[in-house]
């Protein structure tokens, strides 16, 4: 019976240690009289409520999609579509301003061209061989 209790206590301690590391050092102890007390120190790391990581991922995806549209439609047709958005009303103007080509998107268009040329060369080499 002692070994079962000992292994159970070891497991509880291991779980509490893991939780404590996730909470930045904080943990809780339940005493025999039922009182719960906090142990450890709270993390001194600043925590922002704003999801910066999600915003950066969304911005990256938006640039990738915009560059793909420029590459797929061509610069002339894309510029015509953006111009029609800018001449629209309300939200269309905002979308048109966002969809204007920027240096990063144009750089990505060049990368898409290089990738497409690489794939085409690989397919041509596969057909010839």
């Amino acid at each position: 019976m002692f070994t079962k209790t000992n292994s159970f206590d070891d497991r509880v301690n291991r779980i509490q240690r893991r939780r404590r590391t996730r909470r930045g050092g904080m943990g809780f102890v339940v005493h025999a009289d039922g009182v719960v007390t906090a142990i450890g120190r709270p993390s001194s790391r600043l925590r922002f409520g704003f999801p910066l990581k999600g915003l950066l991922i969304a911005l990256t995806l938006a640039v990738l999609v915009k560059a793909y549209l420029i590459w797929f439609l061509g610069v002339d047709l894309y510029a015509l579509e953006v111009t029609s958005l800018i001449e629209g009303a309300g939200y269309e103007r905002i979308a048109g301003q966002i969809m204007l080509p920027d240096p990063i998107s144009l750089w990505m268009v060049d990368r898409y061209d290089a990738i497409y040329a690489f794939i085409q060369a690989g397919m041509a080499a596969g057909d010839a061989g």
Side-chain angles (χ1 to χ4, degrees):
M1 182 70 181
F2 177 72
T3 57
K4 288 182 181 179
T5 305
N6 199 13
S7 65
F8 176 75
D9 289 338
D10 290 340
R11 182 166 184 238
V12 169
N13 288 335
R14 189 176 64 241
I15 291 170
Q16 284 182 339
R17 254 182 307 192
R18 199 174 308 142
R19 284 183 179 171
R20 207 174 302 128
T21 58
R22 272 189 256 140
R23 284 194 199 109
M26 287 294 292
F28 298 96
V29 173
V30 180
H31 297 284
D33 58 355
V35 177
V36 178
T37 57
I39 58 170
R41 288 180 289 146
S43 175
S44 62
R45 190 178 100 196
L46 292 175
R47 295 176 193 251
F48 298 104
F50 190 74
L52 185 62
K53 190 177 190 180
L55 180 68
L56 289 176
I57 290 171
L59 182 65
T60 303
L61 287 174
V63 168
L64 290 173
V65 168
K66 183 170 35 169
Y68 178 75
L69 286 173
I70 294 170
W71 176 77
F72 185 76
L73 296 175
V75 177
D76 297 332
L77 183 58
Y78 184 81
L80 183 66
E81 293 293 330
V82 169
T83 304
S84 69
L85 279 175
I86 290 175
E87 292 171 354
Y91 292 114
E92 290 179 349
R93 283 190 215 138
I94 296 170
Q97 292 294 327
I98 292 171
M99 295 304 286
L100 282 173
D102 55 85
I104 297 172
S105 297
L106 296 175
W107 180 81
M108 282 302 303
V109 169
D110 292 339
R111 300 293 72 78
Y112 285 147
D113 283 334
I115 291 169
Y116 183 72
F118 178 76
I119 291 172
Q120 290 297 89
M123 292 174 70
D127 291 341

